[in-house]
Amino acid sequence: TVTEKELTNHTYIDHELSANLDSAEAFEGPEKLLEIWFYADAQDIPEPRGTKKTLRDIEVAKWVEILKLVKCEVLSVRSTAVMDAFLLSE
Amino acid sequence: SSLFVYDHKITLKTCGTTTTLLCLQLLFDTINTELGWDVCKRIESTGKYFPYKVFYSRRCFMFPLKQRSIHKNWSNEVDYLNTFFSCGRSYLVGRNDESNHWNLYVTETNKSMVQKAKSEDPDETLEILMTGLDHERAKQFIRKRGLCEQQTAEKSEEDEGHMLGFNITKSTKLDLVYENNIKAAFHHDAFAFTPCGYSANMMLDEEYYYTLHVTPEKGWSYASFESNVPVAKISQGKQDNVQVLNHVLQVFQPNDFCVTFFTKDDLKESYSRYMQIGEQVPGYSRRDRIIYDLEDYQLLYMRFERSL
């Protein structure tokens, strides 16, 4: 079950967006779901520059740029040992 | 909307009039630049990318003409995906003459990329897409702002949208969908939108997630639940996906819903249980059950309506 400490453990949070976001035009329910497996497993990731870098090494600012093309903004990010979960606008 | 980033894969789920596929070129260019992955370079002979696997899916839209760009039309989305990926196939799942079918695009698995032996991977994805939410249930996802300002001020790191999202999660018991009998770590992030709506990401055992998105407006109310949590592992065999489905349905009580269940192994007990699901959803009648054999994945699609 969720506890209140979950309210203060964000990896990233955009307070300004959170305060000003208006979703009045978000009329459509059904989502678009895109899943891309670049590799079958994290073990398969190569080391083209001598050290292993993964998708999680891409900084949040880059994801923000990519998501602009989707028309989504990043409200907050929670990270675990193996994944980063972004909560987005819309 | 939500984005989940693992070391080797991403899942992007977006609502409203988002333009999900328009990020593909920048996504591949960014990964190529930042990480130097060859998989993010176009193959010279085909001019396309061939990652391990790509899935793109959506239920048919309620207001397709309000969508933007290629997303107004499924065939345009497929054409666009085919300019990026080799060996893609598209499926229209459900009744072609109904307004609630489901669309899927999937690429052939690039088996040449598997370098190392894998441990048992319980890869499975459950998605429940619900429309016509019970009015009283839908009201739980409408929270007026300004009512918890003092509470918010006391937690200076937090803002009201996240605070209200947290409160909705607690009051609806959406944090209790899974019986966490192995005491796995649980992380949560939720947000209540203005004027209404709710999104939540829940992470279990560091590597699994379930995510919920709700638009409670009367006339086009909708809720989705998507999960890659291996229920048998988390509950130590005390719970199955049928119970998960019934828990979610209790929260929203929709008029109709469709369920998709992907799994890598059709012999799994959870898949077998799902095949027999029709009689185990109180108050609903199953209208469609469709099974696809998608190379190394099995897909089960079902659609239900509230019983008269």
Side-chain angles (χ1 to χ4, degrees):
Chain A
T1 180
V2 65
T3 60
E4 287 203 357
K5 77 176 171 60
E6 293 295 306
L7 281 166
T8 54
N9 283 347
H10 288 99
T11 310
Y12 169 93
I13 191 162
D14 187 334
H15 290 289
E16 190 178 344
L17 176 64
S18 171
N20 299 313
L21 185 65
D22 185 337
S23 64
E25 293 301 312
F27 53 83
E28 179 73 68
E31 301 99 339
K32 308 164 186 90
L33 178 58
L34 174 68
E35 184 166 312
I36 303 178
W37 294 59
F38 294 92
Y39 295 95
D41 191 281
Q43 296 176 71
D44 297 325
I45 296 170
E47 299 180 11
R49 293 167 186 165
T51 54
K52 191 170 197 168
K53 292 188 82 178
T54 79
L55 294 171
R56 298 184 74 206
D57 291 316
I58 295 173
E59 58 192 48
V60 172
K62 297 282 183 191
W63 291 113
V64 168
E65 286 299 308
I66 291 166
L67 290 165
K68 270 185 190 166
L69 297 176
V70 179
K71 312 290 184 204
C72 276
E73 295 175 275
V74 179
L75 280 163
S76 49
V77 183
R78 289 298 311 265
S79 296
T80 74
V82 297
M83 66 190 284
D84 300 317
F86 291 61
L87 200 61
L88 307 176
S89 63
E90 276 280 345
Chain B
S1 300
S2 294
L3 168 68
F4 298 93
V5 180
Y6 291 79
D7 285 335
H8 62 298
K9 66 175 180 177
I10 63 162
T11 301
L12 175 59
K13 184 164 196 164
T14 68
C15 321
T17 55
T18 48
T19 49
T20 312
L21 298 181
L22 299 189
C23 76
L24 280 172
Q25 189 62 64
L26 182 58
L27 173 67
F28 277 76
D29 288 347
T30 301
I31 297 171
N32 184 25
T33 304
E34 296 291 315
L35 310 181
W37 287 1
D38 282 345
V39 71
C40 290
K41 292 177 183 154
R42 289 184 189 260
I43 296 166
E44 264 185 39
S45 58
T46 62
K48 298 181 182 183
Y49 301 101
F50 195 15
Y52 177 70
K53 194 87 178 171
V54 178
F55 300 93
Y56 175 67
S57 64
R58 63 170 176 79
R59 189 172 174 165
C60 64
F61 293 127
M62 295 172 176
F63 309 101
L65 295 179
K66 290 189 177 177
Q67 291 292 324
R68 299 187 236 198
S69 182
I70 55 170
H71 293 290
K72 288 177 187 292
N73 184 301
W74 176 248
S75 63
N76 289 346
E77 290 170 289
V78 172
D79 289 345
Y80 190 77
L81 284 160
N82 282 332
T83 65
F84 281 90
F85 302 117
S86 300
C87 310
R89 291 186 292 250
S90 72
Y91 301 85
L92 188 153
V93 185
R95 302 183 199 189
N96 199 13
D97 59 343
E98 294 271 344
S99 60
N100 49 18
H101 60 265
W102 186 76
N103 299 290
L104 170 69
Y105 174 94
V106 58
T107 60
E108 193 176 292
T109 303
N110 187 346
K111 290 179 177 149
S112 70
M113 296 178 69
V114 180
Q115 306 286 320
K116 296 173 182 160
K118 296 291 168 304
S119 54
E120 265 303 302
D121 179 5
D123 183 29
E124 58 184 46
T125 302
L126 169 67
E127 194 175 31
I128 309 166
L129 307 176
M130 298 163 275
T131 55
L133 311 184
D134 174 83
H135 185 55
E136 289 303 313
R137 298 285 167 165
K139 280 201 298 195
Q140 300 175 100
F141 299 92
I142 301 170
R143 296 286 167 103
K144 284 199 166 52
R145 293 213 178 181
L147 299 178
C148 66
E149 275 172 358
Q150 190 180 348
Q151 211 179 352
T152 303
E154 286 167 5
K155 295 176 172 55
S156 56
E157 284 183 56
E158 202 42 67
D159 55 66
E160 196 172 15
H162 285 91
M163 173 69 78
L164 290 170
F166 173 86
N167 290 343
I168 290 174
T169 300
K170 292 294 284 183
S171 64
T172 55
K173 296 187 169 55
L174 284 169
D175 54 330
L176 301 175
V177 171
Y178 287 93
E179 289 180 22
N180 184 2
N181 291 331
I182 61 168
K183 305 251 185 291
F186 184 88
H187 303 284
H188 164 272
D189 192 10
F191 191 83
F193 291 88
T194 301
C196 61
Y198 164 84
S199 285
N201 295 334
M202 324 265 189
M203 288 74 79
L204 261 166
D205 204 19
E206 308 293 332
E207 61 179 316
Y208 308 112
Y209 71 82
Y210 63 99
T211 182
L212 289 123
H213 302 282
V214 183
T215 49
E217 289 99 324
K218 204 173 180 182
W220 59 89
S221 61
Y222 175 88
S224 73
F225 170 88
E226 187 212 331
S227 171
N228 68 2
V229 176
V231 60
K233 176 183 173 184
I234 294 296
S235 70
Q236 287 190 312
K238 300 276 172 32
Q239 189 185 25
D240 60 33
N241 272 320
V242 179
Q243 290 164 303
V244 170
L245 171 66
N246 281 320
H247 184 119
V248 173
L249 291 176
Q250 269 304 307
V251 174
F252 298 102
Q253 297 184 5
N255 277 332
D256 64 82
F257 64 94
C258 68
V259 181
T260 61
F261 184 60
F262 275 99
T263 180
K264 260 190 169 171
D265 181 356
D266 60 349
L267 297 176
K268 273 193 188 309
E269 192 184 336
S270 56
Y271 188 76
S272 304
R273 288 272 291 136
Y274 245 48
M275 295 281 280
Q276 309 302 325
I277 202 170
E279 297 76 35
Q280 299 171 53
V281 187
Y284 291 90
S285 303
R286 192 176 67 203
R287 298 298 181 205
D288 296 303
R289 183 177 71 167
I290 300 167
I291 297 159
Y292 274 97
D293 186 347
L294 298 169
E295 201 184 8
D296 44 354
Y297 279 84
Q298 300 293 318
L299 165 65
L300 176 61
Y301 166 91
M302 289 179 288
R303 187 173 69 83
F304 292 81
E305 290 175 1
R306 189 183 286 283
S307 302
L308 296 174

